[in-house]
Amino acid sequence: MDLDLIASGKVREVYAVRDDPTKLLMVATDRISAYDRVFAEPVRDKGRLLSAISATAFRALGDRFVTHFVSVPTEVPAEFVGRATLVRRAEMLPVECVARGYLVGSAWEAYRSTGTVQGVSLPTGLSFGDPLPQPIFTPTTKEETGHDRPLTPEELRNLHGTALASELEELTTSVYSALASWFREHGLTLIDSKFEFGYIDGELVLADEIATPDSSRIVRGEPGTNPEWLDKQLLRDWLTKQGFRGDGVAPKLDEELIERVRSAYRDVFEILAGSSFDAWPGQSRAYRGVER
């Protein structure tokens, strides 16, 4: 497969497929980021785990939603095996579409302050980790640099029009509900999740990664007041204890934390897939772009 690197993000690198302009190859690295900072220390196997979880989730959705997912190819450069996902090229929308089913994170902080989350009113008397009466849609901008900006429903309509805003909300909450049900069947809770959408031949499709511990909050069992995080919240909590929330010099990630993150991501894959990660294609190896 002949490839041309066309984009390099915090975690993923995107390649054009020379002999098929309708396809892209997305390659997940072992880099990890939080608070808009990419850390120097990679998490071994993370790229392969992200690709494995996302592919498993796309397959679990079956034909209920139109997506960009094609396959997890093995006829790729050796260093990409298990990290690469072949997708249909889409014209991506500059919106991060977030669905929340439980009251945690910034949603909890906003609720305690105003009783609302990004313009969405919620019932009184809710506590941290409580399930919401129904999933809520809390989109953000997708910024090239710096922090994404939360959007109220009105702001999203003003930016992209009423029809598209409504379609994004319906798709986001529907995909989240389908994935949340699938997670519950496996003893996990999908607290919230970020999705991205784009157009292919005029049709709005689900794209990027889905249901990964990088793009979602995931706990084993029910959330409660002391949830067992199986996602990047482990890193955010550790950084907060170090006094780092994005400003100043980032602390070096220690080996114990890195192994906890790796183990959590691996648990998510093995629980959802019902198989050992050892059987996933490729071997753990460093490659260009993993370290910075």
Side-chain angles (χ1 to χ4, degrees):
M1 185 180 291
D2 292 327
L3 304 169
D4 291 313
L5 178 66
I6 59 173
S8 183
K10 293 175 182 176
V11 173
R12 282 177 174 76
E13 294 170 349
V14 181
Y15 293 81
V17 180
R18 290 179 187 169
D19 60 355
D20 189 347
T22 69
K23 301 294 192 301
L24 295 174
L25 194 73
M26 296 174 57
V27 179
T29 75
D30 288 345
R31 296 190 293 264
I32 193 165
S33 68
Y35 299 129
D36 295 317
R37 188 73 62 91
V38 179
F39 294 87
E41 300 79 27
V43 176
R44 184 168 61 88
D45 287 330
K46 178 174 174 284
R48 294 170 64 230
L49 284 160
L50 291 180
S51 297
I53 294 166
S54 193
T56 302
F58 275 120
R59 289 165 176 158
L61 290 178
D63 59 2
R64 284 177 285 177
F65 302 94
V66 182
T67 79
H68 76 160
F69 178 78
V70 176
S71 67
V72 178
T74 55
E75 297 300 317
V76 293
E79 63 269 26
F80 292 171
V81 174
R83 299 177 179 276
T85 304
L86 186 67
V87 302
R88 294 189 293 157
R89 187 190 288 261
E91 181 184 349
M92 300 299 293
L93 291 171
V95 183
E96 302 273 5
C97 295
V98 180
R100 301 175 186 271
Y102 295 80
L103 197 55
V104 302
S106 61
W108 167 241
E109 294 173 3
Y111 173 79
R112 286 197 301 170
S113 175
T114 67
T116 65
V117 180
Q118 290 177 224
V120 180
S121 297
L122 295 176
T124 60
L126 296 177
S127 300
F128 177 87
D130 279 353
L132 301 176
Q134 59 189 21
I136 62 172
F137 178 53
T138 57
T140 73
T141 60
K142 185 174 175 61
E143 304 293 343
E144 292 296 328
T145 60
H147 295 285
D148 296 333
R149 180 171 63 85
L151 296 169
T152 65
E154 182 180 4
E155 289 172 332
L156 183 65
R157 289 193 293 269
N158 289 339
L159 282 172
H160 298 288
T162 299
L164 179 56
S166 296
E167 188 174 10
L168 288 174
E169 179 173 5
E170 181 180 356
L171 276 172
T172 299
T173 54
S174 295
V175 172
Y176 168 80
S177 296
L179 290 172
S181 177
W182 177 54
F183 270 62
R184 281 193 297 272
E185 292 171 2
H186 292 80
L188 300 177
T189 299
L190 187 64
I191 299 290
D192 53 42
S193 200
K194 174 186 72 68
F195 306 105
E196 294 190 37
F197 297 91
Y199 285 104
I200 299 178
D201 296 330
E203 184 175 27
L204 196 59
V205 307
L206 178 61
D208 199 58
E209 64 177 336
I210 59 170
T212 72
D214 267 17
S215 64
S216 313
R217 285 188 176 92
I218 301 166
V219 301
R220 196 190 308 269
E222 294 299 319
T225 57
N226 188 28
E228 182 185 351
W229 299 111
L230 295 178
D231 59 74
K232 200 162 62 173
Q233 190 65 39
L234 292 167
L235 172 60
R236 288 190 287 263
D237 287 348
W238 183 88
L239 291 170
T240 299
K241 289 180 181 179
Q242 309 303 310
F244 179 80
R245 290 182 65 88
D247 297 321
V249 179
K252 180 179 179 180
L253 308 186
D254 64 36
E255 287 300 322
E256 180 182 358
L257 170 69
I258 289 171
E259 183 53 35
R260 284 177 61 208
V261 170
R262 176 179 176 272
S263 178
Y265 283 41
R266 178 170 177 141
D267 282 353
V268 171
F269 169 73
E270 294 187 339
I271 290 169
L272 293 175
S275 61
S276 172
F277 180 62
D278 292 337
W280 185 255
Q283 298 296 322
S284 180
R285 54 166 70 88
Y287 72 100
R288 180 186 58 76
V290 168
E291 298 182 351
R292 289 189 174 182

PDB file of all heavy atoms in Angstrom, residues 11 16 34 43 52-53 120 132 141 167 176 184 188 195 211 213 215-216 227 245 247 271-272 287:
ATOM      1  N   VAL A  11      -2.402  12.251  18.592  1.00  0.00           N
ATOM      2  CA  VAL A  11      -2.271  10.802  18.749  1.00  0.00           C
ATOM      3  C   VAL A  11      -2.213  10.085  17.410  1.00  0.00           C
ATOM      4  O   VAL A  11      -1.479   9.114  17.254  1.00  0.00           O
ATOM      5  CB  VAL A  11      -3.441  10.245  19.594  1.00  0.00           C
ATOM      6  CG1 VAL A  11      -3.418   8.714  19.625  1.00  0.00           C
ATOM      7  CG2 VAL A  11      -3.384  10.804  21.013  1.00  0.00           C
ATOM      8  N   ALA A  16      -2.908   9.455   3.038  1.00  0.00           N
ATOM      9  CA  ALA A  16      -3.679   9.257   1.817  1.00  0.00           C
ATOM     10  C   ALA A  16      -3.217   7.963   1.158  1.00  0.00           C
ATOM     11  O   ALA A  16      -2.023   7.638   1.161  1.00  0.00           O
ATOM     12  CB  ALA A  16      -3.487  10.435   0.872  1.00  0.00           C
ATOM     13  N   ALA A  34      -3.270  15.097  27.430  1.00  0.00           N
ATOM     14  CA  ALA A  34      -4.287  15.561  28.377  1.00  0.00           C
ATOM     15  C   ALA A  34      -4.074  17.045  28.588  1.00  0.00           C
ATOM     16  O   ALA A  34      -2.939  17.538  28.512  1.00  0.00           O
ATOM     17  CB  ALA A  34      -4.188  14.818  29.712  1.00  0.00           C
ATOM     18  N   VAL A  43       2.678   5.377  25.977  1.00  0.00           N
ATOM     19  CA  VAL A  43       2.043   4.258  26.676  1.00  0.00           C
ATOM     20  C   VAL A  43       2.106   3.056  25.747  1.00  0.00           C
ATOM     21  O   VAL A  43       1.444   3.027  24.702  1.00  0.00           O
ATOM     22  CB  VAL A  43       0.580   4.583  27.049  1.00  0.00           C
ATOM     23  CG1 VAL A  43      -0.089   3.364  27.677  1.00  0.00           C
ATOM     24  CG2 VAL A  43       0.521   5.774  27.998  1.00  0.00           C
ATOM     25  N   ALA A  52      -7.956  -1.255  18.079  1.00  0.00           N
ATOM     26  CA  ALA A  52      -8.703  -2.485  18.356  1.00  0.00           C
ATOM     27  C   ALA A  52     -10.076  -2.177  18.947  1.00  0.00           C
ATOM     28  O   ALA A  52     -11.098  -2.761  18.542  1.00  0.00           O
ATOM     29  CB  ALA A  52      -7.902  -3.374  19.298  1.00  0.00           C
ATOM     30  N   ILE A  53     -10.119  -1.270  19.907  1.00  0.00           N
ATOM     31  CA  ILE A  53     -11.392  -0.936  20.556  1.00  0.00           C
ATOM     32  C   ILE A  53     -12.333  -0.258  19.572  1.00  0.00           C
ATOM     33  O   ILE A  53     -13.520  -0.585  19.488  1.00  0.00           O
ATOM     34  CB  ILE A  53     -11.147  -0.039  21.786  1.00  0.00           C
ATOM     35  CG1 ILE A  53     -10.376  -0.820  22.860  1.00  0.00           C
ATOM     36  CG2 ILE A  53     -12.471   0.478  22.347  1.00  0.00           C
ATOM     37  CD1 ILE A  53      -9.803   0.055  23.958  1.00  0.00           C
ATOM     38  N   VAL A 120     -28.443  23.210  28.785  1.00  0.00           N
ATOM     39  CA  VAL A 120     -29.423  22.143  28.975  1.00  0.00           C
ATOM     40  C   VAL A 120     -29.811  22.087  30.447  1.00  0.00           C
ATOM     41  O   VAL A 120     -28.957  21.858  31.316  1.00  0.00           O
ATOM     42  CB  VAL A 120     -28.864  20.779  28.528  1.00  0.00           C
ATOM     43  CG1 VAL A 120     -29.910  19.684  28.741  1.00  0.00           C
ATOM     44  CG2 VAL A 120     -28.417  20.828  27.080  1.00  0.00           C
ATOM     45  N   LEU A 132     -28.403  10.465  34.040  1.00  0.00           N
ATOM     46  CA  LEU A 132     -29.300  11.522  33.617  1.00  0.00           C
ATOM     47  C   LEU A 132     -30.610  10.918  33.112  1.00  0.00           C
ATOM     48  O   LEU A 132     -30.634   9.756  32.669  1.00  0.00           O
ATOM     49  CB  LEU A 132     -28.641  12.347  32.518  1.00  0.00           C
ATOM     50  CG  LEU A 132     -27.317  13.017  32.917  1.00  0.00           C
ATOM     51  CD1 LEU A 132     -26.697  13.730  31.716  1.00  0.00           C
ATOM     52  CD2 LEU A 132     -27.528  13.999  34.061  1.00  0.00           C
ATOM     53  N   THR A 141     -16.620  23.311  19.943  1.00  0.00           N
ATOM     54  CA  THR A 141     -15.897  23.600  18.717  1.00  0.00           C
ATOM     55  C   THR A 141     -14.731  22.622  18.600  1.00  0.00           C
ATOM     56  O   THR A 141     -14.367  21.947  19.572  1.00  0.00           O
ATOM     57  CB  THR A 141     -15.354  25.034  18.727  1.00  0.00           C
ATOM     58  OG1 THR A 141     -14.456  25.184  19.846  1.00  0.00           O
ATOM     59  CG2 THR A 141     -16.475  26.047  18.842  1.00  0.00           C
ATOM     60  N   GLU A 167     -29.712  17.360  13.388  1.00  0.00           N
ATOM     61  CA  GLU A 167     -29.240  16.060  12.905  1.00  0.00           C
ATOM     62  C   GLU A 167     -28.056  15.566  13.729  1.00  0.00           C
ATOM     63  O   GLU A 167     -27.977  14.383  14.080  1.00  0.00           O
ATOM     64  CB  GLU A 167     -28.860  16.153  11.431  1.00  0.00           C
ATOM     65  CG  GLU A 167     -28.541  14.809  10.793  1.00  0.00           C
ATOM     66  CD  GLU A 167     -28.310  14.896   9.300  1.00  0.00           C
ATOM     67  OE1 GLU A 167     -28.214  16.027   8.766  1.00  0.00           O
ATOM     68  OE2 GLU A 167     -28.210  13.829   8.665  1.00  0.00           O
ATOM     69  N   TYR A 176     -24.564   7.147  20.949  1.00  0.00           N
ATOM     70  CA  TYR A 176     -24.182   6.952  22.361  1.00  0.00           C
ATOM     71  C   TYR A 176     -25.083   5.906  23.020  1.00  0.00           C
ATOM     72  O   TYR A 176     -24.589   5.005  23.727  1.00  0.00           O
ATOM     73  CB  TYR A 176     -24.273   8.274  23.121  1.00  0.00           C
ATOM     74  CG  TYR A 176     -24.169   8.084  24.616  1.00  0.00           C
ATOM     75  CD1 TYR A 176     -22.932   7.903  25.233  1.00  0.00           C
ATOM     76  CD2 TYR A 176     -25.314   8.018  25.406  1.00  0.00           C
ATOM     77  CE1 TYR A 176     -22.846   7.670  26.602  1.00  0.00           C
ATOM     78  CE2 TYR A 176     -25.234   7.800  26.773  1.00  0.00           C
ATOM     79  CZ  TYR A 176     -23.994   7.624  27.359  1.00  0.00           C
ATOM     80  OH  TYR A 176     -23.906   7.393  28.710  1.00  0.00           O
ATOM     81  N   ARG A 184     -23.122  -1.932  28.682  1.00  0.00           N
ATOM     82  CA  ARG A 184     -23.810  -2.507  29.847  1.00  0.00           C
ATOM     83  C   ARG A 184     -23.893  -4.018  29.748  1.00  0.00           C
ATOM     84  O   ARG A 184     -23.775  -4.731  30.755  1.00  0.00           O
ATOM     85  CB  ARG A 184     -25.215  -1.913  29.975  1.00  0.00           C
ATOM     86  CG  ARG A 184     -25.246  -0.525  30.592  1.00  0.00           C
ATOM     87  CD  ARG A 184     -26.660  -0.133  30.989  1.00  0.00           C
ATOM     88  NE  ARG A 184     -27.547  -0.061  29.840  1.00  0.00           N
ATOM     89  CZ  ARG A 184     -27.724   1.023  29.094  1.00  0.00           C
ATOM     90  NH1 ARG A 184     -27.048   2.130  29.382  1.00  0.00           N
ATOM     91  NH2 ARG A 184     -28.555   1.008  28.073  1.00  0.00           N
ATOM     92  N   LEU A 188     -19.770  -2.900  31.738  1.00  0.00           N
ATOM     93  CA  LEU A 188     -19.103  -1.604  31.751  1.00  0.00           C
ATOM     94  C   LEU A 188     -20.141  -0.491  31.606  1.00  0.00           C
ATOM     95  O   LEU A 188     -21.244  -0.716  31.102  1.00  0.00           O
ATOM     96  CB  LEU A 188     -18.099  -1.498  30.600  1.00  0.00           C
ATOM     97  CG  LEU A 188     -16.970  -2.513  30.554  1.00  0.00           C
ATOM     98  CD1 LEU A 188     -16.127  -2.305  29.297  1.00  0.00           C
ATOM     99  CD2 LEU A 188     -16.093  -2.424  31.798  1.00  0.00           C
ATOM    100  N   PHE A 195     -17.900  12.068  19.653  1.00  0.00           N
ATOM    101  CA  PHE A 195     -17.995  11.558  18.289  1.00  0.00           C
ATOM    102  C   PHE A 195     -17.702  12.683  17.301  1.00  0.00           C
ATOM    103  O   PHE A 195     -17.853  13.864  17.617  1.00  0.00           O
ATOM    104  CB  PHE A 195     -19.397  11.003  18.017  1.00  0.00           C
ATOM    105  CG  PHE A 195     -19.846   9.975  19.017  1.00  0.00           C
ATOM    106  CD1 PHE A 195     -20.781  10.298  19.994  1.00  0.00           C
ATOM    107  CD2 PHE A 195     -19.322   8.694  19.007  1.00  0.00           C
ATOM    108  CE1 PHE A 195     -21.192   9.361  20.921  1.00  0.00           C
ATOM    109  CE2 PHE A 195     -19.723   7.750  19.938  1.00  0.00           C
ATOM    110  CZ  PHE A 195     -20.665   8.090  20.900  1.00  0.00           C
ATOM    111  N   ALA A 211     -15.815   5.150  21.009  1.00  0.00           N
ATOM    112  CA  ALA A 211     -15.895   4.287  22.203  1.00  0.00           C
ATOM    113  C   ALA A 211     -14.551   3.945  22.818  1.00  0.00           C
ATOM    114  O   ALA A 211     -14.448   2.988  23.582  1.00  0.00           O
ATOM    115  CB  ALA A 211     -16.658   2.999  21.881  1.00  0.00           C
ATOM    116  N   PRO A 213     -11.088   4.608  25.254  1.00  0.00           N
ATOM    117  CA  PRO A 213     -10.796   5.286  26.521  1.00  0.00           C
ATOM    118  C   PRO A 213     -10.159   6.660  26.344  1.00  0.00           C
ATOM    119  O   PRO A 213     -10.038   7.406  27.309  1.00  0.00           O
ATOM    120  CB  PRO A 213      -9.822   4.319  27.218  1.00  0.00           C
ATOM    121  CG  PRO A 213     -10.091   2.990  26.596  1.00  0.00           C
ATOM    122  CD  PRO A 213     -10.397   3.308  25.170  1.00  0.00           C
ATOM    123  N   SER A 215     -11.503   8.801  24.010  1.00  0.00           N
ATOM    124  CA  SER A 215     -12.618   9.657  23.609  1.00  0.00           C
ATOM    125  C   SER A 215     -13.835   9.517  24.513  1.00  0.00           C
ATOM    126  O   SER A 215     -14.867  10.147  24.259  1.00  0.00           O
ATOM    127  CB  SER A 215     -13.035   9.325  22.169  1.00  0.00           C
ATOM    128  OG  SER A 215     -13.525   7.996  22.085  1.00  0.00           O
ATOM    129  N   SER A 216     -13.735   8.703  25.557  1.00  0.00           N
ATOM    130  CA  SER A 216     -14.884   8.406  26.412  1.00  0.00           C
ATOM    131  C   SER A 216     -14.448   8.273  27.867  1.00  0.00           C
ATOM    132  O   SER A 216     -13.278   8.008  28.156  1.00  0.00           O
ATOM    133  CB  SER A 216     -15.544   7.075  25.994  1.00  0.00           C
ATOM    134  OG  SER A 216     -15.728   6.994  24.608  1.00  0.00           O
ATOM    135  N   PRO A 227     -15.689   5.835  41.312  1.00  0.00           N
ATOM    136  CA  PRO A 227     -15.716   4.920  40.163  1.00  0.00           C
ATOM    137  C   PRO A 227     -14.351   4.327  39.844  1.00  0.00           C
ATOM    138  O   PRO A 227     -13.316   4.935  40.109  1.00  0.00           O
ATOM    139  CB  PRO A 227     -16.199   5.816  39.015  1.00  0.00           C
ATOM    140  CG  PRO A 227     -15.832   7.201  39.436  1.00  0.00           C
ATOM    141  CD  PRO A 227     -15.938   7.228  40.920  1.00  0.00           C
ATOM    142  N   ARG A 245      -2.617  21.243  35.387  1.00  0.00           N
ATOM    143  CA  ARG A 245      -3.863  21.235  34.623  1.00  0.00           C
ATOM    144  C   ARG A 245      -3.674  21.949  33.289  1.00  0.00           C
ATOM    145  O   ARG A 245      -4.570  22.614  32.792  1.00  0.00           O
ATOM    146  CB  ARG A 245      -4.997  21.865  35.421  1.00  0.00           C
ATOM    147  CG  ARG A 245      -5.447  21.019  36.619  1.00  0.00           C
ATOM    148  CD  ARG A 245      -6.609  21.654  37.344  1.00  0.00           C
ATOM    149  NE  ARG A 245      -7.808  21.716  36.536  1.00  0.00           N
ATOM    150  CZ  ARG A 245      -8.717  20.749  36.456  1.00  0.00           C
ATOM    151  NH1 ARG A 245      -8.560  19.624  37.141  1.00  0.00           N
ATOM    152  NH2 ARG A 245      -9.792  20.902  35.706  1.00  0.00           N
ATOM    153  N   ASP A 247      -1.043  24.182  32.440  1.00  0.00           N
ATOM    154  CA  ASP A 247      -0.140  25.324  32.457  1.00  0.00           C
ATOM    155  C   ASP A 247       1.198  24.956  33.094  1.00  0.00           C
ATOM    156  O   ASP A 247       1.260  24.119  33.994  1.00  0.00           O
ATOM    157  CB  ASP A 247      -0.756  26.499  33.232  1.00  0.00           C
ATOM    158  CG  ASP A 247      -2.025  27.012  32.575  1.00  0.00           C
ATOM    159  OD1 ASP A 247      -2.057  27.063  31.333  1.00  0.00           O
ATOM    160  OD2 ASP A 247      -2.975  27.360  33.303  1.00  0.00           O
ATOM    161  N   ILE A 271     -12.723  -7.024  27.490  1.00  0.00           N
ATOM    162  CA  ILE A 271     -14.098  -7.198  27.976  1.00  0.00           C
ATOM    163  C   ILE A 271     -15.090  -7.061  26.822  1.00  0.00           C
ATOM    164  O   ILE A 271     -16.013  -7.873  26.683  1.00  0.00           O
ATOM    165  CB  ILE A 271     -14.401  -6.173  29.083  1.00  0.00           C
ATOM    166  CG1 ILE A 271     -13.606  -6.515  30.346  1.00  0.00           C
ATOM    167  CG2 ILE A 271     -15.897  -6.140  29.395  1.00  0.00           C
ATOM    168  CD1 ILE A 271     -13.625  -5.424  31.395  1.00  0.00           C
ATOM    169  N   LEU A 272     -14.907  -6.043  25.991  1.00  0.00           N
ATOM    170  CA  LEU A 272     -15.847  -5.811  24.895  1.00  0.00           C
ATOM    171  C   LEU A 272     -15.702  -6.848  23.781  1.00  0.00           C
ATOM    172  O   LEU A 272     -16.696  -7.300  23.196  1.00  0.00           O
ATOM    173  CB  LEU A 272     -15.644  -4.409  24.314  1.00  0.00           C
ATOM    174  CG  LEU A 272     -16.004  -3.243  25.228  1.00  0.00           C
ATOM    175  CD1 LEU A 272     -15.639  -1.923  24.556  1.00  0.00           C
ATOM    176  CD2 LEU A 272     -17.497  -3.257  25.581  1.00  0.00           C
ATOM    177  N   TYR A 287       7.888   3.338  16.708  1.00  0.00           N
ATOM    178  CA  TYR A 287       7.987   3.721  15.309  1.00  0.00           C
ATOM    179  C   TYR A 287       7.956   5.237  15.200  1.00  0.00           C
ATOM    180  O   TYR A 287       7.637   5.925  16.145  1.00  0.00           O
ATOM    181  CB  TYR A 287       6.876   3.084  14.480  1.00  0.00           C
ATOM    182  CG  TYR A 287       5.498   3.659  14.691  1.00  0.00           C
ATOM    183  CD1 TYR A 287       4.972   4.578  13.799  1.00  0.00           C
ATOM    184  CD2 TYR A 287       4.730   3.276  15.795  1.00  0.00           C
ATOM    185  CE1 TYR A 287       3.713   5.106  13.990  1.00  0.00           C
ATOM    186  CE2 TYR A 287       3.486   3.798  15.989  1.00  0.00           C
ATOM    187  CZ  TYR A 287       2.973   4.704  15.076  1.00  0.00           C
ATOM    188  OH  TYR A 287       1.727   5.234  15.258  1.00  0.00           O
TER     189      TYR A 287
END
